[in-house]
């Protein structure tokens, strides 16, 4: 049973895996990663999306490698990114014919920083064993790590059937859901052992076992963490669109991270049509930041607003400041180490405005409905200025930038 956890448990100690220059596990900070949804054979589109994801904060980016054309494109994508100054480890996502693509395209095998293998469609019996083995041998030859990524949408059916049969013949049968969870865990562990038997060292193996239901994900990863010290990649698969995907992913991964489980995370959001793919990176960063594991951007504390904030100045200012900070972070982070721990408050009225603003590094209390149209600004807990007139928002943005420069 879960115990009440009032603070994160110590990180589970895992075997660290270098993915390109990024350390996953072994006590390293939890890594944010994401995946493109472009056709990898479309080099221009894939380069643009990988660069955008990396700019947004994705520390590793996975790309689909599903056919000869996409495998042939991979080294060009890596080179083009390097010319743009984008040095981010690329992971190849392989299914079914990954062994063949890697064998036929050695430049692709070399350009990738990691290979993802799905044991549900490459692994376990006879012919499939050989395919799994071929990918692992390629990884050994090129000195690359692999992620053994089980997904219950493509779970090995032979393994599941065998466990179901064994369960039926046992004295105290488990539920079908429990057997499925066990099959997912075993699929990951057995595949990890097979990779080791072939000769891949433990510091080259990451495990994942993705499901789409929150309680299943928690149960599966708690079990994986008990039975193995290999690095774990967390992700709720098919999490869904918009707030549903964000809430489900955050709930599941938040509980696991709180228990010290998880070395890298991906938030799998279904993008709205024409939506921004980088949203999933932002959500992953916000999850890690709000839980206190990492700092990525200054925190903007804003009140929710209420009947005392009938103008939209307050919401617009809070959104603009958050956007400004996020956009400028790559530059500021290089110039001003530690800037990400800055706290900015944007408050809607006098009720909680001055108090919250004083707790921030820099904060503003905007005038609520019926209040004198002036906005006190607090810096380091002291009232530093009072802004008035139509340019309050712009003036405050300038003060935030000046504060950071100072
Ligand atoms: Fe409403 Fe003022 Fe509280 Fe904001 S600080 S929620 S505007 S009462």
């Amino acid at each position: 049973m879960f115990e009440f956890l009032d603070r994160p448990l110590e990180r589970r100690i895992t075997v660290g895996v270098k993915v390109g220059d990024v350390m996953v596990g072994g006590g390293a900070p939890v890594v944010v990663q994401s995946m493109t949804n472009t056709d990898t054979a479309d080099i221009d589109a894939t380069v643009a999306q990988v660069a955008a994801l990396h700019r947004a904060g994705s520390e590793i980016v996975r790309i689909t490698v599903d056919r000869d054309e996409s495998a042939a494109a991979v080294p060009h994508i890596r080179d083009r990114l390097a010319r743009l100054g984008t040095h981010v480890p690329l992971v190849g996502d392989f299914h079914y014919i990954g062994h063949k693509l890697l064998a036929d395209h050695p430049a692709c095998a070399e350009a990738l920083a990691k290979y993802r293998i799905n044991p549900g469609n490459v692994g376990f019996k006879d012919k499939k064993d050989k395919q799994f083995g071929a990918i692992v041998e390629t990884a050994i030859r090129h000195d690359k790590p692999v992620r053994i990524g089980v997904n219950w949408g493509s779970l090995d059916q032979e393994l599941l059937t065998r466990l179901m049969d064994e369960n039926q013949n046992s004295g105290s049968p488990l539920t079908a859901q429990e057997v499925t969870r066990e099959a997912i865990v075993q699929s990951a562990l057995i595949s990890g052992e097979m990779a080791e038997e072939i000769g891949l060292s433990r510091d080259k193996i990451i495990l994942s076992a993705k499901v789409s239901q929150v309680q299943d994900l928690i149960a599966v990863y708690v079990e994986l963490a008990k039975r193995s010290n290999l690095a774990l990649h967390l992700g709720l698969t098919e999490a869904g669109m918009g707030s549903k995907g964000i809430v489900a992913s955050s709930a599941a991964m938040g509980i696991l991270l709180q228990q010290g489980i998880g070395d890298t995370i991906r938030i799998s959001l279904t993008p709205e049509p024409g939506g921004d793919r980088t949203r999933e990176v932002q959500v992953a960063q916000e999850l890690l930041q709000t839980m206190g594991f990492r700092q990525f951007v200054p925190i903007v504390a804003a009140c929710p607003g209420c009947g005392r904030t009938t103008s939209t100045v307050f919401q617009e200012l809070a959104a603009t400041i958050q956007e400004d900070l996020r956009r400028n972070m790559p530059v500021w982070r290089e110039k001003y180490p530690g800037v990400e721990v800055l706290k900015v408050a944007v408050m809607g009225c006098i009720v909680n405005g001055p108090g919250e603003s004083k707790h921030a590094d820099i904060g503003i209390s905007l005038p609520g409905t019926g209040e004198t149209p002036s906005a006190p600004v607090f810096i380091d807990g002291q009232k530093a200025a009072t802004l008035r007139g139509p340019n309050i928002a712009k003036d405050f943005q300038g003060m935030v930038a000046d504060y950071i420069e100072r």
Side-chain angles (χ1 to χ4, degrees), residues 303-306 308-309 347-349 351-353:
C303 74
C306 66
R308 299 174 67 94
T309 52
M347 299 295 290
C349 84
V351 174
N352 293 321

Side-chain angles (χ1 to χ4, degrees), residues 72-348:
V74 170
H76 300 292
I77 291 167
R78 193 266 324 262
D79 293 347
R80 287 264 295 277
L81 285 166
R83 284 202 292 278
L84 291 171
T86 302
H87 300 282
V88 60
L90 294 176
V91 178
D93 197 61
F94 294 101
H95 301 271
Y96 308 110
I97 57 166
H99 60 293
K100 194 170 172 322
L101 292 173
L102 285 167
D104 293 348
H105 298 272
C108 166
E110 189 49 41
L112 292 167
K114 186 177 73 176
Y115 313 148
R116 182 269 168 119
I117 314 176
N118 180 344
N121 51 43
V122 188
F124 286 112
K125 283 281 168 214
D126 306 327
K127 188 172 109 213
K128 285 206 239 163
D129 272 353
K130 291 200 190 95
Q131 296 173 355
F132 179 90
I135 297 181
V136 172
E137 278 162 9
T138 306
I140 294 167
R141 233 178 6 261
H142 289 270
D143 197 26
K144 307 286 181 181
V146 300
R147 169 164 67 96
I148 294 170
V150 177
N151 189 307
W152 80 350
S154 48
L155 180 59
D156 186 287
Q157 291 305 304
E158 286 176 36
L159 176 66
L160 180 62
T161 307
R162 178 166 61 75
L163 291 184
M164 287 285 184
D165 290 346
E166 285 173 9
N167 182 54
Q168 279 210 332
N169 298 330
S170 76
S172 50
L174 304 170
T175 64
Q177 184 186 32
E178 288 169 326
V179 178
T180 306
R181 288 175 177 176
E182 177 62 22
I184 293 165
V185 171
Q186 284 203 21
S187 177
L189 294 175
I190 294 170
S191 301
E193 284 163 16
M194 278 173 59
E196 276 189 73
E197 277 166 25
I198 294 166
L200 195 64
S201 57
R202 291 174 68 74
D203 64 356
K204 290 276 189 286
I205 304 173
I206 297 174
L207 299 182
S208 69
K210 297 192 183 181
V211 299
S212 60
Q213 298 299 313
V214 171
Q215 296 297 344
D216 287 321
L217 191 89
I218 295 166
V220 161
Y221 271 91
V222 165
E223 208 50 42
L224 264 182
K226 268 193 220 154
R227 298 193 210 172
S228 168
N229 70 345
L230 291 172
L232 293 180
H233 163 128
L234 298 189
L236 188 75
T237 192
E238 286 94 48
M241 294 179 85
S243 60
K244 189 262 171 193
I246 294 171
V247 170
S249 294
S250 303
M253 287 188 239
I255 288 169
L256 289 166
L257 290 165
Q258 183 79 351
Q259 297 185 59
I261 298 170
D263 300 298
T264 175
I265 64 170
R266 184 205 171 194
I267 304 274
S268 304
L269 294 182
T270 308
E272 311 282 344
D276 185 355
R277 189 70 170 175
T278 61
R279 181 93 176 105
E280 66 175 46
V281 178
Q282 191 181 325
V283 173
Q285 286 189 334
E286 283 171 1
L287 173 62
L288 292 174
Q289 180 152 346
T290 53
M291 292 192 73
F293 294 118
R294 292 189 65 182
Q295 295 283 344
F296 297 99
V297 284
I299 292 171
V300 177
C303 74
C306 66
R308 299 174 67 94
T309 52
T310 48
S311 96
T312 55
V313 174
F314 150 68
Q315 290 100 314
E316 283 164 9
L317 181 58
T320 308
I321 292 288
Q322 179 84 71
E323 205 34 57
D324 254 20
L325 293 171
R326 198 170 278 286
R327 194 179 49 250
N328 288 315
M329 269 318 282
V331 178
W332 284 343
R333 193 176 283 123
E334 293 214 338
K335 274 169 83 178
Y336 312 114
V339 68
E340 58 268 29
V341 299
L342 184 78
K343 287 196 185 77
V344 182
V346 179
M347 299 295 290

Side-chain angles (χ1 to χ4, degrees), residues 36-51 77 80:
T36 56
N37 63 354
T38 53
D39 175 359
T40 304
D42 183 342
I43 296 173
D44 290 347
T46 304
V47 166
Q49 196 174 76
V50 170
I77 291 167
R80 287 264 295 277

